[in-house]
Amino acid sequence: APGGGRAQGELIFAGFGIDSKTHKYNDFKGLKLAGKVAMILDGEPRHGRKFDGPEATRAASIWKKLGDLRDAKVSGVLDIR
């Protein structure tokens, strides 16, 4: 796990936590994440045309997800594996 700690805020489900222009996929669309704790799923969706293949894309990297969520100003992240 990338880290531990404490966060406070309303829990909001943010899908896989992926925001990728390359894959034309955005789990954050329509969500107001600032100050909330984002609950995300590990990995990437099984989508034949956007996330195809056995290797996870860069967009599904936990570090990319955490960076995007930080930019969205979440107070914390709960990663579901």
Side-chain angles (χ1 to χ4, degrees):
R6 300 182 121 173
Q8 187 171 338
E10 179 184 346
L11 186 65
I12 188 164
F13 180 66
F16 286 90
I18 295 174
D19 179 8
S20 173
K21 289 182 176 119
T22 302
H23 296 94
K24 297 178 182 164
Y25 188 91
N26 185 352
D27 281 318
F28 305 158
K29 187 174 183 178
L31 298 180
K32 294 180 181 174
L33 294 170
K36 309 243 171 85
V37 175
M39 180 172 63
I40 62 171
L41 299 171
D42 186 51
E44 62 191 16
R46 293 181 189 163
H47 189 286
R49 286 183 280 159
K50 294 187 181 192
F51 298 97
D52 190 25
E55 297 295 322
T57 63
R58 180 181 176 282
S61 158
I62 187 62
W63 302 111
K64 169 79 167 84
K65 291 178 182 187
L66 291 174
D68 290 343
L69 289 163
R70 178 196 62 226
D71 293 347
K73 302 188 182 337
V74 299
S75 66
V77 178
L78 177 61
D79 181 22
I80 306 298
R81 297 185 177 269

